Amino acid sequence: MSDQMELKFESNPDPGRWRHRRKEGKSRSVVAFVMVLLLFGILGGGAWYGYDRFSGRFLAADFDGPGTGEVIVEVKKGDTASVIAETLHSSGVVKSARAFVNAANENPDSTDIQVGQYKLRKEMKAADAVDALLDLKNKFVEGAVTIPEGWTKMQVFTELAKASGLKYADFEKAAADISKLGVSATWLKRTDGKKVDKANIEGFLYPATYEIPDNATAEQILKMLVKNFNAEMTKLDFANKAAKLQISPYEALVAASITQVEALLPEDMGPVSRVLYNRAYSGDFPCGCLQLDSTVNYWLRLNGKEGKSSEKLTIDEMHGEDNPYRYNAPGMSIGPISNPGEIALKGAIDAPKSPYFFFVTIDAKGTMAYGKTFDEHNANIQIACKNGIPIC
């Protein structure tokens, strides 16, 4: 068992938390303490164990959800449960170290956690974090490549070339016809009359960590990413939920790719996608277009240029007729501008209805504010300026 460790799960309360008691009411404290001793004397030693588990369990802060994003954490040889707990807490995986220790104590398999690096999510429920460490599918393999949410195909090709030893051009060539890589006909049509470019793999390179097989070709590697994409789309029931929005799965994918770039917080993924739909499809937004810097910047990057902040974009860059991602291109964008992750994809198909046509980030935390009119949008921009957001 060289790749396993002996875990020691401490469950005693921290003695330090009983310090600094007030002197007032000392007699009442003594009486209460005597009563507690009498109670434990009557109930037996098991009562103290029960109290300890009760206090440890219910006083430990824990996250509710399955978590977001991806983070790599390392379990080292000799790590106790407390050490692992602190590692997870400092990495943002669990809300408190105590919650993880409690969850590990309640899981009889927790002593089988192996030494190594693991791909986990941030803000996980402690019990889910224990399960994830026991699932060897989450164990990070040396030489694997991680594709972050929001990367463009250019960034993905660069990273895959580096990890595989192949050339960037090999991936460009392999992606010349996405239907040959596992992208089904369902994704090659739209409801708005625009054509889907079969040579554009953007959006289908699902963000995750991949182990690159030895001597794999560029085509085999891209098929692996597309296969993962297809599995995630099935899990999300993406096509059927897009149909309920009266748009094609591809249009919802485009919205998710833009939302991934525009929204910083998970709770804004759905509302931002709804703004995109309101602009492109409602008929109530004057130009019926998206008017986003992010699509213009994607076009610049496609042409080997750097993205620019709003005030530095030229009129030609924003409105040039040769740019299919231009500022006032009608309807939903012609194609994805990034490879979105699970939360952005969910946001695109579960976008809550709203009357909003505008959004803007108003603070350093990434909080979004929404507006129905341009005046409301300007008011939100002023809030952002006061908070030091560099958009003024």
Side-chain angles (χ1 to χ4, degrees), residues 153-154 157-158 160-161 167-178 181 198-201 218-219 222 302:
K153 64 182 180 182
M154 293 82 77
F157 288 173
T158 298
L160 292 177
K167 297 178 181 178
Y168 182 97
D170 294 331
F171 292 95
E172 282 188 309
K173 183 178 179 180
D177 185 348
I178 59 177
L181 297 174
K198 291 174 63 175
N200 184 16
I201 200 172
E219 181 178 358
L222 293 182
L302 273 178

Side-chain angles (χ1 to χ4, degrees), residues 31 36 56 81 116 125 148 165 170 173 261 280 345:
V31 171
V36 169
K125 186 176 178 63
D170 294 331
K173 183 178 179 180
V261 174
L345 290 164

Side-chain angles (χ1 to χ4, degrees), residues 182-203:
V183 177
S184 71
T186 302
W187 296 95
L188 302 179
K189 54 188 176 183
R190 300 174 61 135
T191 60
D192 58 4
K194 296 181 181 180
K195 291 184 178 180
V196 176
D197 184 0
K198 291 174 63 175
N200 184 16
I201 200 172
E202 195 73 85

Side-chain angles (χ1 to χ4, degrees), residues 48-283:
W48 173 255
Y49 175 76
Y51 169 77
D52 178 51
R53 289 183 65 82
F54 176 87
S55 62
R57 179 180 178 85
F58 290 98
L59 296 180
D62 199 1
F63 291 120
D64 295 325
T68 63
E70 187 174 86
V71 62
I72 303 296
V73 296
E74 183 176 7
V75 175
K76 299 179 180 179
K77 186 176 181 179
D79 278 358
T80 63
S82 293
V83 173
I84 297 174
E86 289 297 337
T87 299
L88 297 179
H89 180 242
S90 63
S91 299
V93 176
V94 296
K95 196 168 187 179
S96 68
R98 169 60 67 183
F100 178 81
V101 172
N102 290 343
N105 279 330
E106 293 176 0
N107 190 325
D109 296 326
S110 60
T111 53
D112 293 331
I113 294 174
Q114 297 184 8
V115 172
Q117 293 182 317
Y118 292 83
K119 297 167 293 190
L120 303 178
R121 296 183 173 222
K122 290 190 175 183
E123 300 185 2
M124 297 182 72
K125 186 176 178 63
D128 292 342
V130 174
D131 290 338
L133 288 173
L134 288 167
D135 189 346
L136 295 183
K137 288 188 298 184
N138 295 317
K139 198 169 183 181
F140 183 79
V141 179
E142 190 69 29
V145 58
T146 297
I147 308 301
E149 298 164 347
W151 266 18
T152 64
K153 64 182 180 182
M154 293 82 77
Q155 291 172 299
V156 176
F157 288 173
T158 298
E159 194 67 17
L160 292 177
K162 187 189 306 181
S164 65
L166 297 169
K167 297 178 181 178
Y168 182 97
D170 294 331
F171 292 95
E172 282 188 309
K173 183 178 179 180
D177 185 348
I178 59 177
S179 64
K180 294 181 179 179
L181 297 174
V183 177
S184 71
T186 302
W187 296 95
L188 302 179
K189 54 188 176 183
R190 300 174 61 135
T191 60
D192 58 4
K194 296 181 181 180
K195 291 184 178 180
V196 176
D197 184 0
K198 291 174 63 175
N200 184 16
I201 200 172
E202 195 73 85
F204 297 100
L205 303 170
Y206 191 77
T209 298
Y210 297 91
E211 183 181 358
I212 307 299
D214 292 339
N215 303 316
T217 66
E219 181 178 358
Q220 290 170 333
I221 294 171
L222 293 182
K223 281 183 176 179
M224 182 169 60
L225 272 65
V226 171
K227 182 179 179 180
N228 197 15
F229 170 86
N230 289 333
E232 292 297 324
M233 295 304 100
T234 299
K235 184 175 72 174
L236 293 174
D237 196 24
F238 197 85
N240 288 330
K241 290 188 175 182
K244 292 179 180 179
L245 295 171
Q246 298 184 318
I247 58 177
S248 68
Y250 190 77
E251 289 163 84
L253 177 63
V254 172
S257 77
I258 297 172
T259 295
Q260 183 72 74
V261 174
E262 293 283 353
L264 298 178
L265 302 178
E267 57 266 31
D268 285 311
M269 298 293 182
V272 167
S273 287
R274 177 56 65 179
V275 169
L276 302 182
Y277 297 148
N278 288 347
R279 289 187 179 189
Y281 302 119
S282 70

